[in-house]
Amino acid sequence: GSSIDAAENLKEAINSFDYGYNLSDAWYYLGLSYEKNNQYDEAVKSYENALYINADSRLDDYFYGSLYTVKSLYDLYKKLGNNDEAVYALENSIEKDAYIPFYFIPFPNRKEEYKNFKGSEIYNDIVKAYTNVIKNNSYNAKGYISHFSHFYELYKEYDKAIELHNKISKESYENIAGIYEKTKNYDKAIDIYKMLINMYPDNSACFFNYIASVYRKTKNYEKSINYYKKALEADSKNTDYYINIAETYEKINNYEEAANYYNKAIELYNRPCRYYEKLAEAYKNIGKYEKAIEAYKEYLKIVNDGHEVSYLYTVCFKLNTLKNIAHLYDKLNDIENRNLYYKKAIERCGELIKEYKYYQKMYLEEMADIYMKIGCKEEAFEIYHDLIKKYDKEILKNKKDYELLEKHGDLYGKIDNKEKAFEIYGKAIGLCLKKIERFKKTKISDTDEEYEDKISFCMEDLSYLALFYQKVSRYEEANLAYEELIKIYEEKVTDSEDSIFYLESIAEIYIKLNNSDNALKTYKRILEIDKYNDAEDKIRYIQSGNKIRTAHIFELSHRIYMQHGQTEMVSKKFCN
């Protein structure tokens, strides 16, 4: 009758037992003793130790012996009001032995308990646990689904059991279709989705949406839109389908229809949502600036409230949205409102400077740039001078940092000191040439473990060299550096999909060289490898006279783009 004494004896026993069943039992009884002593934290730890030992692969056949431990841990969590932890304990046990929840069911001879079990709290927790396990183990769900459906059958919930049995077949077909999509065997993927529509007509909307998505990947935008519309006919309340149609209309530059479907999605949301930004961009593309401003202002509401907005939205998008509104007012020649929103953007920069010390220089420069736009040259120059001093100090510590030198020179350009800017760019050019020369003298082979890294460093040097030559108007020398980069990429090109990244990089360099003919030829080479690649869109942009965004710095496995004062890196794996 003394749980305190029992606990002390059990602790001694645990120290003397070898790893195995007896040790697991000792931890379980220690947990019981702690629970009787109201030492609940210690009780939880003891039960978890018992389960950890039982879950060991060496003791697989004994896991059913952990039933009492699972039940005690579950009951204790419920007693403490930790419902999520209670369900999680069930999930862990199901992943080890999918039959464990059946031991929780009262025996039929305990008629009242057996009768009341269905719909009870533990019954609902078991349902929740099985559901979560199936969701989290989608590629290995069949066994869990089989046990879960049997659980429903015991309590005559046959519709739910059938639904689960059907799910095994449906999900298998969906997985197969997904694999066909990954391997770009799009026709077979579509065939499977069409078959699933016949098998599961109640889920037709979902499969119509999948088919539309496949057609969009193949650039067959007309069929894609038709199937998205079929999805909407089957389920008119699904906002995703409206968004998908809108985005597809954008692909064919039909921004009027895109705006129409964004509006329909927003209507269903019936609250400020992230799609106001997309709506604003659609209106902007058709010159409806007043409507674009209205949409941006609605978008600002979710940025301010934090509703539906991730960390990145909160940090980046409020500032950009304020600037976008100001820019549109400028297009409307509404100087008063333009200045009002640029001032709000300046205030936002001030907030970001206080919140994110690491990006202080970036937001200070942004603030100064905005001051220039509203004609406050004195305030802007004061910030630029302050930033120059900051970069002076940093460059003393990092004299070979190209990015710092570039920023330093650019700031002198912004205060109209072209001579000093050219002096800094000249130093950077000298540094690039020294490093490239040193690399050329170094003998390396492609069997060298660091071969790719060394080549990438050289490519970074060449990229900066071209960039700095451009800044001092030495365009012929810049072009020679870009041509060197093309040679390095060409050496890596084969007929495989792995070459797409290199070819995309080559095409962007040709664009930098204003050689649109060779850029077009390179994008066509990409389509010979992958006929569904976005290179088709790039070709269309070039032929229609539109600009294509190109990288700032080129390396062997990634390209770096500059946008809104921040660096964006596109890795090889994302380009294929």
Side-chain angles (χ1 to χ4, degrees), residues 175-191:
N175 287 337
I176 293 166
I179 292 166
Y180 279 135
E181 281 192 60
K182 283 178 185 174
T183 56
K184 297 184 180 175
N185 197 336
Y186 295 123
D187 289 339
K188 285 193 175 180
I190 288 169
D191 288 342

Side-chain angles (χ1 to χ4, degrees), residues 407-425:
K407 281 285 183 189
H408 204 211
D410 290 351
L411 285 165
Y412 273 111
K414 286 181 178 182
I415 60 169
D416 302 326
N417 191 339
K418 192 175 178 182
E419 187 181 336
K420 186 66 179 175
F422 272 44
E423 182 190 322
I424 292 166
Y425 297 144

Side-chain angles (χ1 to χ4, degrees), residues 83-92 94-95 124-141 144-145 148 152 164 167:
N83 293 325
D84 289 344
E85 292 294 336
V87 173
Y88 188 62
L90 288 176
E91 288 174 36
N92 276 341
I94 290 169
E95 287 182 343
N124 292 333
D125 282 348
I126 288 170
V127 168
K128 194 183 291 184
Y130 268 126
T131 304
N132 290 345
V133 168
I134 289 165
K135 184 181 177 183
N136 295 331
N137 295 273
S138 57
Y139 288 101
N140 189 30
Y144 301 123
I145 288 171
F148 191 14
Y152 274 135
L164 280 167
K167 195 173 184 181

Side-chain angles (χ1 to χ4, degrees), residues 253-492:
N253 300 324
N254 189 339
Y255 296 106
E256 193 81 53
E257 276 302 304
N260 178 31
Y261 278 93
Y262 282 130
N263 269 317
K264 287 179 180 180
I266 287 165
E267 234 176 88
L268 280 176
Y269 267 94
N270 198 27
R271 64 179 187 271
C273 64
R274 71 197 80 159
Y275 297 114
Y276 273 110
E277 185 195 27
K278 302 282 282 181
L279 176 63
E281 288 166 3
Y283 279 138
K284 189 166 64 174
N285 282 317
I286 52 178
K288 293 186 176 180
Y289 300 136
E290 291 95 342
K291 286 194 172 185
I293 288 168
E294 285 174 26
Y296 275 131
K297 285 179 180 178
E298 288 298 317
Y299 179 61
L300 261 184
K301 288 179 184 176
I302 65 164
V303 176
N304 287 330
D305 296 343
H307 183 67
E308 258 197 5
V309 180
S310 69
Y311 168 81
L312 280 176
Y313 274 96
T314 309
V315 173
C316 304
F317 283 80
K318 182 176 179 181
L319 174 60
N320 290 336
T321 305
L322 291 166
K323 285 163 58 183
N324 286 334
I325 294 171
H327 177 67
L328 289 170
Y329 274 125
D330 193 42
K331 281 186 171 290
L332 293 168
N333 206 26
D334 184 342
I335 306 305
E336 185 181 344
N337 275 313
R338 180 202 71 176
N339 289 353
L340 173 66
Y341 276 86
Y342 274 137
K343 283 173 183 175
K344 287 183 179 184
I346 288 168
E347 286 173 17
R348 179 60 181 153
C349 285
E351 292 167 5
L352 292 169
I353 288 163
K354 287 177 185 174
E355 285 180 63
Y356 305 101
K357 303 283 185 189
Y358 184 80
Y359 298 107
Q360 185 186 67
K361 292 195 295 295
M362 183 178 79
Y363 291 122
L364 277 169
E365 187 173 354
E366 185 85 68
M367 185 185 282
D369 292 346
I370 297 169
Y371 272 127
M372 288 295 286
K373 285 177 180 175
I374 59 175
C376 297
K377 188 175 179 180
E378 191 177 327
E379 289 88 342
F381 272 41
E382 187 180 336
I383 295 171
Y384 290 141
H385 280 291
D386 183 47
L387 283 168
I388 285 169
K389 288 175 187 174
K390 290 179 188 292
Y391 279 110
D392 282 336
K393 289 178 183 177
E394 280 198 54
I395 288 168
L396 285 173
K397 298 174 189 173
N398 304 283
K399 292 181 180 178
K400 297 180 181 180
D401 190 315
Y402 295 140
E403 199 173 335
L404 288 177
L405 289 167
E406 183 192 358
K407 281 285 183 189
H408 204 211
D410 290 351
L411 285 165
Y412 273 111
K414 286 181 178 182
I415 60 169
D416 302 326
N417 191 339
K418 192 175 178 182
E419 187 181 336
K420 186 66 179 175
F422 272 44
E423 182 190 322
I424 292 166
Y425 297 144
K427 284 179 183 176
I429 288 168
L431 178 62
C432 290
L433 289 170
K434 279 182 186 176
K435 289 178 78 173
I436 292 165
E437 190 61 34
R438 198 180 305 129
F439 172 81
K440 286 179 178 177
K441 287 178 180 176
T442 306
K443 291 182 180 179
I444 60 166
S445 70
D446 54 13
T447 56
D448 187 338
E449 283 184 10
E450 297 178 357
Y451 172 77
E452 297 233 337
D453 287 339
K454 289 175 181 176
I455 293 286
S456 269
F457 287 136
C458 179
M459 292 175 78
E460 183 184 358
D461 296 332
L462 283 166
S463 297
Y464 272 111
L465 180 62
L467 179 71
F468 290 126
Y469 273 140
Q470 284 178 322
K471 285 180 181 288
V472 295
S473 306
R474 290 163 66 177
Y475 299 112
E476 285 185 16
E477 288 155 299
N479 290 352
L480 289 172
Y482 282 133
E483 285 165 10
E484 282 290 315
L485 285 166
I486 289 173
K487 285 179 190 174
I488 295 170
Y489 279 128
E490 282 287 6
E491 286 175 4
K492 305 291 289 182

Side-chain angles (χ1 to χ4, degrees), residues 15 23 38 71 86 182 349 513 567:
N15 290 329
L23 182 58
N38 298 324
K71 185 72 169 67
K182 283 178 185 174
C349 285
L513 291 167
T567 302

Side-chain angles (χ1 to χ4, degrees), residues 21 42 64 70 119 175 196 355 422 483 500:
Y21 311 132
E42 293 302 319
Y64 72 89
V70 174
N175 287 337
L196 285 167
E355 285 180 63
F422 272 44
E483 285 165 10
I500 289 175

Side-chain angles (χ1 to χ4, degrees), residues 171-219:
E171 287 189 351
S172 296
Y173 282 123
E174 282 183 42
N175 287 337
I176 293 166
I179 292 166
Y180 279 135
E181 281 192 60
K182 283 178 185 174
T183 56
K184 297 184 180 175
N185 197 336
Y186 295 123
D187 289 339
K188 285 193 175 180
I190 288 169
D191 288 342
I192 290 175
Y193 290 135
K194 285 180 176 177
M195 179 189 72
L196 285 167
I197 289 167
N198 294 325
M199 290 171 67
Y200 306 101
D202 289 346
N203 291 327
S204 62
C206 173
F207 300 122
F208 282 134
N209 182 58
Y210 289 157
I211 293 170
S213 173
V214 174
Y215 276 125
R216 193 161 86 173
K217 286 177 183 175
T218 64
K219 317 291 181 189

